[in-house]
Amino acid sequence: MLVDFRPTGKLRGKKPVDATAALGPVIDALVEDSVDLSRARVVCDWVQYRNNFRDVVDIRPILASHDRNSEVTPVALAAVVTEEQMEVAIDLRRSGEVELKDFTRELMRAGGASGDPSRVYLEPWLVTSASIIWDFNALYWKALDVWEQATGQPYEKTLPGGESDARNRDAVREMITSLFALWDSLAARNALPEELYVVELGPGNGNQAKAWLDEFVALDQEHGSDYYRRLHYLMGDYSPHVVELARAAVADHAQHVSAFVLDATQPLTALGFLRYKIFLVYISNVYDNLPADEVAQIGGRTYIVETRAYLTRQAAAEIAHTVSAQPDEIPGLIRKLIRLGPALLAEALPAHFPSVQVAAEFWQRCWAALRLEERYQPLAGLDLYQIAPGVSGEMLRPLLESGADIRMHVSNGAVASFVDTVPLLHPFGRLICYDLFVTDLHNYRTSFRGPGKYDGSVVNWLNGPLLAHIGRRKGFDVDYQRFAHRTGTNIVTMTAQVRD
Ligand SMILES: C[S@@+](CC[C@H](N)C(=O)[O-])C[C@H]1O[C@@H](n2cnc3c(N)ncnc32)[C@H](O)[C@@H]1O
């Protein structure tokens, strides 16, 4: 049996974690069961997100061969592993909340290929980027007004620090000052185009854009260069509601702003006419909100993590009771919620949802109760897996083969966005992104990096070394620096520009 204790930093310090108190009862439960202990792994994490998709203990099959019920393309496998293995995952932060031994014993008994009868499943096994959690995420941004009305607080308050770092004046000033320096040097060579384009992806409530544009005007006046007159600030978001919010927030700059619906994973579709013309692509807290898979290297083999969303039958029964439904009707009602949104859902099914508020509460309860079962599906060849359009899974190889076993994000949405954005950049242009980046792969071996729940949305750290590796292959330098303008933040600034 192998024990992978990841949060080693928690074993020391003022309040060290009692590792044996968590491991002991779980191992006792395994020993009592008839499971082949030589094929078991126990993994301990510290899940820092209070709201997340995990249970205190989870059991994850490590499949020996391709499961016919998988949505992942079947692959011919070298018959290296012939027996299924099993991973038992413990969330140490919550390990004191349950009787661990009983809890694990029950889980071992309930699990089975066809599923645990004490769970109501919302989807078949899927790669995580295809999970219903991303439909919930998109719904959150689409119907943000309904959600915020129900919680009584704007989404920005739920971010660490209570507001986006993209509003930080010093950071904005630094960015604009260096843009002016570039424009001055191009102007001195008669190489500055008349139109000066800046693009922001995922503007949220528009506060970031407002901070940027207000500062731009002030600095331009100081600078005396008349750049504001030539500025075009383009904002694209996939939520029409967010687009309107952001547009309203920058009404003072209406002459210089265009706001439109755009999927951040395919910016070229709408912005292709600006190829090589954009001086700055500005993205904050969006990449961590784009769909992502996870892959793992375990015992020399490569796996993709498959997930299956569920509610416990108890949670489903409690939720069903609030909307005059049966527990087994909940998956269908959730699908309708996602298709229609809370307002239309209340109109379409008044017997279950007599008001938008009831529909919103249903949405929030389902989201809070939503969990993900996981299993490891073997991948025979990385070249058979696509990270994003035109980006082969082979890009993962140096990272997966970087040492000991590892499980990491593929950041598929961020990679898709990145490779579809860089062709827009002017040869001296830059992509600047504030987000949660893992910058040292070893971090994946010592910390939990998502997915977690932020209010009604998903948060996932980003695989920085992977983005840098793909960037280099495309001829771009990708640099990561700790966000310099607020202490204690986990935000990292990623900068990408054409390699010198
Ligand atoms: C956490 S907010 C960030 C808002 C703002 N940039 C900030 O830093 O405060 C994430 C934004 O990304 C947008 N978003 C998420 N996925 C997207 C996608 N696939 N295409 C476009 N926008 C997306 C959301 O609608 C939301 O506006």
Side-chain angles (χ1 to χ4, degrees):
M1 184 193 300
L2 192 137
V3 175
D4 185 356
F5 191 97
R6 292 184 182 142
T8 46
K10 298 257 174 224
L11 289 170
R12 299 201 180 102
K14 275 196 191 135
K15 274 198 196 163
V17 165
D18 184 352
T20 43
L23 277 169
V26 170
I27 292 176
D28 286 348
L30 294 180
V31 169
E32 271 182 16
D33 198 272
S34 58
V35 61
D36 179 351
L37 295 173
S38 71
R39 295 183 193 280
R41 303 165 37 89
V42 180
V43 174
C44 299
D45 283 308
W46 182 274
V47 178
Q48 70 272 33
Y49 296 106
R50 203 152 287 283
N51 301 316
N52 59 68
F53 300 97
R54 288 177 56 163
D55 217 325
V56 181
V57 178
D58 283 319
I59 296 197
R60 305 168 182 156
I62 305 174
L63 302 183
S65 59
H66 194 273
D67 178 356
R68 275 179 291 118
N69 293 324
S70 168
E71 306 274 316
V72 176
T73 317
V75 287
L77 284 169
V80 187
V81 177
T82 51
E83 293 277 344
E84 193 163 295
Q85 302 174 62
M86 184 186 72
E87 181 171 280
V88 182
I90 309 171
D91 173 12
L92 291 170
R93 190 174 62 79
R94 291 180 292 167
S95 58
E97 290 177 11
V98 295
E99 270 307 322
L100 271 181
K101 185 172 171 186
D102 296 346
F103 192 88
T104 311
R105 191 195 289 129
E106 284 308 308
L107 272 181
M108 302 285 299
R109 286 196 189 137
S114 55
D116 179 340
S118 72
R119 296 177 174 180
V120 174
Y121 292 99
L122 306 182
E123 60 190 358
W125 286 110
L126 295 166
V127 290
T128 317
S129 62
S131 168
I132 197 167
I133 65 172
W134 299 105
D135 298 322
F136 270 96
N137 189 68
L139 178 65
Y140 174 72
W141 295 113
K142 242 185 252 161
L144 187 62
D145 51 342
V146 176
W147 182 284
E148 288 184 337
Q149 212 163 359
T151 57
Q153 65 169 356
Y155 80 85
E156 216 180 330
K157 284 270 166 264
T158 64
L159 296 176
E163 67 174 48
S164 167
D165 282 319
R167 283 222 249 161
N168 184 292
R169 294 270 160 190
D170 292 339
V172 170
R173 210 168 296 135
E174 188 179 287
M175 197 186 308
I176 296 171
T177 306
S178 92
L179 198 56
F180 282 5
L182 168 66
W183 288 346
D184 289 349
S185 79
L186 289 174
R189 286 178 271 150
N190 278 334
L192 187 66
E194 176 57 25
E195 318 280 334
L196 304 174
Y197 290 104
V198 170
V199 168
E200 184 191 342
L201 299 178
N205 56 18
N207 284 344
Q208 165 187 352
K210 177 159 172 44
W212 199 92
L213 286 159
D214 287 352
E215 209 57 46
F216 191 99
V217 170
L219 286 172
D220 192 37
Q221 274 165 6
E222 277 172 34
H223 198 67
S225 41
D226 203 22
Y227 288 144
Y228 184 62
R229 185 184 56 77
R230 298 157 71 178
L231 179 73
H232 295 270
Y233 192 94
L234 312 176
M235 302 187 294
D237 199 287
Y238 71 166
S239 158
H241 170 69
V242 162
V243 169
E244 287 319 313
L245 270 185
R247 198 200 304 277
V250 293
D252 293 349
H253 302 277
Q255 301 291 323
H256 300 270
V257 171
S258 308
F260 43 88
V261 171
L262 171 78
D263 185 340
T265 62
Q266 336 178 4
L268 272 178
T269 50
L271 298 173
F273 68 105
L274 290 175
R275 208 177 262 264
Y276 308 129
K277 292 201 173 122
I278 297 177
F279 282 100
L280 172 67
V281 178
Y282 184 27
I283 312 172
S284 158
N285 294 319
V286 178
Y287 276 5
D288 65 353
N289 200 234
L290 298 176
D293 290 341
E294 285 181 81
V295 286
Q297 190 82 353
I298 303 172
R301 294 195 80 199
T302 308
Y303 298 86
I304 183 135
V305 176
E306 287 187 325
T307 51
R308 179 162 67 160
Y310 71 93
L311 308 177
T312 62
R313 194 156 282 280
Q314 190 188 340
E318 283 165 14
I319 294 169
H321 183 68
T322 64
V323 294
S324 315
Q326 296 302 314
D328 288 327
E329 289 179 88
I330 296 297
L333 292 176
I334 288 178
R335 278 193 295 277
K336 287 204 175 81
L337 164 72
I338 281 168
R339 217 175 45 242
L340 301 175
L344 276 181
L345 184 69
E347 269 182 41
L349 299 174
H352 294 297
F353 307 101
S355 67
V356 178
Q357 194 189 331
V358 174
E361 283 164 8
F362 170 75
W363 173 16
Q364 292 181 321
R365 286 194 182 104
C366 291
W367 179 242
L370 196 154
R371 303 263 175 284
L372 289 176
E373 247 175 40
E374 294 180 345
R375 68 180 186 182
Y376 295 95
Q377 179 77 250
L379 271 180
L382 283 170
D383 55 339
L384 299 170
Y385 171 69
Q386 201 184 46
I387 298 176
V391 185
S392 160
E394 275 297 330
M395 291 285 173
L396 293 161
R397 186 176 301 284
L399 286 70
L400 285 169
E401 295 178 359
S402 62
D405 285 356
I406 192 164
R407 173 174 163 161
M408 63 188 191
H409 293 118
V410 185
S411 306
N412 310 66
V415 170
S417 182
F418 178 85
V419 299
D420 212 51
T421 298
V422 288
L424 294 169
L425 290 176
H426 181 278
F428 294 107
R430 288 195 299 173
L431 182 156
I432 295 184
C433 178
Y434 298 143
D435 224 313
L436 297 166
F437 289 96
V438 171
T439 53
D440 176 353
L441 266 195
H442 190 60
N443 228 274
Y444 276 123
R445 299 194 178 95
T446 57
S447 349
F448 176 79
R449 291 298 180 227
K453 299 176 192 171
Y454 259 176
D455 209 11
S457 69
V458 182
V459 58
N460 243 341
W461 287 51
L462 294 145
N463 190 329
L466 177 64
L467 278 154
H469 179 54
I470 292 169
R472 270 194 300 276
R473 289 296 189 93
K474 302 250 165 219
F476 284 80
D477 275 333
V478 178
D479 170 67
Y480 297 103
Q481 298 291 335
R482 210 157 242 300
F483 184 75
H485 304 280
R486 182 163 71 89
T487 46
T489 177
N490 283 323
I491 292 291
V492 163
T493 306
M494 169 181 135
T495 308
Q497 56 196 334
V498 176
R499 202 165 35 222
D500 287 337

